[in-house]
Amino acid sequence: MTDEWRGWREAAQAALYGDEGFYRSPEGPAGHFRTSVHASPLFATAVARLLTGVARELDTGTVALVDVGAGRGELLTGVLAALPEGLDVTPYAVEVAARPPGLDPRIEWCAQPPAGVAGLLFANEWLDNVPVEVAEADAEGVPRYVHVRASDGAERLGSAVTGADAAWLERWWPLSAPGERAEIGRPRDAAWAGAVGSLTAGAAVAVDYTHVRGGRPPFGTLTGFRGGREVRPVPDGSCDLTAHVALDACAAAVAEAGIDASTELTDQRAALRRLGVGGDRPPLSLATTDPAGYVRALAAAGEAAELAARGGLGDFGWLLHRVGLPALPP
Ligand SMILES: C[S@@+](CC[C@H](N)C(=O)[O-])C[C@H]1O[C@@H](n2cnc3c(N)ncnc32)[C@H](O)[C@@H]1O
C-alpha cells in the first residue's frame, strides 16, 4: 500500500494483482461475490451446449475450452461434468491466481490464453476486472485523469487526457459537462482482441456488465465489492475493483485487429434462451404424474429465472464472435 497519488489503472493493477493483491487471496472471487457460474450449474450446462455446437460446426471431436479469468476453475469443472460422451475437450484455465489444490488434473492452468487452438474461448466477468484509467471533466469540461491514493481511496484530478486515451473518449464515451466521468476502456479492448486472436477457429464469448455508446452512465461505474457487499472503491487490496464494460468498443477492437470474425452483442437472457435455459415453469400436471420430477423442474426453473432476471444477471451483455465460421442468421 502506498500514499502516492496514481492513476486508477496502475493503482487497481497493484491492488488486484500485486503480490498481496485481492485476487491472490485464498478464498477467491466466490468469497466476495456471486457470478452466474456460482448462481446455478445451468450456466455451465449452457456453456457445454455452446461448446458442443461449436465442435459440431468445426466438424471435429477434439476441441479446446479456454476460460479466461477462470477464478478457481468452477466453470470448467461444471462444463466437464455436463459434456456429452464422445467429445474430447482440452480445458484451459487462464488465471492470474495460483492453481487451487484438488482441481481436476485434466484442466491446464495458464497465465495466457494458449495460442492457435480451435474451440470455445469464454470469459465470464473477466473484462470488468481489467484495470482502466478513470477520466473526469474539470470545471471547464476538459477531461482529466483521476488520481487516487491507495491508503484511503481519496481522489484528485491529474493531467489532461491526451493521445490515444483522448481519442478513445471522443469516440466511445465523450465527456463535456463538469463532473462527468468515464472509464477509458482501451486496455479492455486490447485484452479482448488479444484473447479472440488466440483462436484459429471457433467462438469467443465475453459476458459482463455492460453499457453501449448513447447509454453510458454519466458518472461512470467504478465500484468495490467485499464479502458480498458493494463498498467504496479503495485500491488497497481489501476489495474487488470493477467497472462495467464498453462491450461495443471491445467488439470494434476485434474487427480493427483484422480478425476474421462475425460479431453479435446480445443479453444473457436471450443468449441462454437460445441455449435451452429459459426459466419456464413446468406444467402443473407434472406434479401429479411425477412429483419428484416436478420439484426438480421447479428448482431448475427458479435457477434459470435468476440467470435471466431483468435488473440482474439477465441484463449482462454477451459479446459473441464466431471465428472462421459463418455468421448466424439475424
Ligand atoms: C470476477 S472474477 C470471475 C471469475 C469467474 N470467471 C466467474 O465468473 O466466477 C475475475 C477473475 O479474472 C481473473 N483475471 C483478471 N485479469 C486477468 C488476466 N489478465 N489474466 C488472467 N486472469 C485474470 C481474476 O484473477 C479473477 O479470478
Side-chain angles (χ1 to χ4, degrees):
M1 199 166 62
T2 165
D3 271 345
E4 277 172 53
W5 294 91
R6 297 193 276 186
W8 263 106
R9 184 179 179 193
E10 192 188 332
Q13 182 66 34
L16 296 179
Y17 309 117
D19 289 346
E20 307 278 297
F22 175 81
Y23 276 115
R24 307 228 181 238
S25 63
E27 71 274 15
H32 295 272
F33 46 83
R34 200 156 169 260
T35 67
S36 294
V37 174
H38 316 121
S40 168
L42 288 174
F43 192 75
T45 303
V47 175
R49 285 185 192 143
L50 186 57
L51 176 62
T52 308
V54 168
R56 201 180 308 119
E57 284 192 77
L58 292 173
D59 196 19
T60 173
T62 309
V63 276
L65 173 59
V66 183
D67 183 5
V68 189
R72 296 299 178 266
E74 298 96 327
L75 178 62
L76 288 174
T77 304
V79 174
L80 288 175
L83 283 173
E85 290 281 313
L87 182 60
D88 182 10
V89 173
T90 309
Y92 297 90
V94 183
E95 213 354 282
V96 169
R99 181 186 185 98
L103 189 71
D104 188 320
R106 287 174 290 176
I107 297 175
E108 298 204 20
W109 200 262
C110 38
Q112 301 291 335
V117 297
L120 174 63
L121 181 139
F122 202 88
N124 191 62
E125 292 200 38
W126 166 46
L127 292 171
D128 66 285
N129 284 130
V130 172
V132 289
E133 294 293 359
V134 176
E136 181 175 322
D138 68 12
E140 275 74 50
V142 175
R144 296 188 171 274
Y145 291 105
V146 176
H147 288 177
V148 61
R149 192 166 58 195
S151 55
D152 60 0
E155 291 183 340
R156 68 184 188 193
L157 295 191
S159 57
V161 179
T162 54
D165 281 349
W168 191 96
L169 281 181
E170 193 52 40
R171 178 177 179 195
W172 293 111
W173 197 333
L175 297 179
S176 52
E180 283 186 350
R181 284 167 66 116
E183 290 102 28
I184 306 177
R186 276 202 321 123
R188 294 165 174 185
D189 298 355
W192 183 239
V196 178
S198 71
L199 284 180
T200 52
V205 181
V207 180
D208 235 306
Y209 309 83
T210 188
H211 41 58
V212 293
R213 207 189 137 110
R216 308 275 187 225
F219 304 108
T221 60
L222 178 69
T223 192
F225 275 94
R226 183 191 306 118
R229 291 228 164 77
E230 194 167 346
V231 296
R232 198 166 77 87
V234 178
D236 63 356
S238 72
C239 63
D240 184 27
L241 298 167
T242 167
H244 296 200
V245 183
L247 283 177
D248 49 351
C250 296
V254 168
E256 285 156 24
I259 298 165
D260 172 25
S262 65
T263 297
E264 185 192 11
L265 181 54
T266 185
D267 63 28
Q268 173 148 308
R269 192 174 312 113
L272 288 184
R273 186 163 280 278
R274 200 193 283 165
L275 291 166
V277 177
D280 296 334
R281 290 166 70 93
L284 204 52
S285 56
L286 191 67
T288 9
T289 55
D290 177 8
Y294 178 75
V295 171
R296 276 197 305 276
L298 205 55
E303 290 178 9
E306 183 186 352
L307 292 173
R310 288 187 196 281
L313 295 171
D315 292 341
F316 273 44
W318 275 53
L319 173 60
L320 169 74
H321 299 283
R322 292 164 53 82
V323 182
L325 293 174
L328 288 176

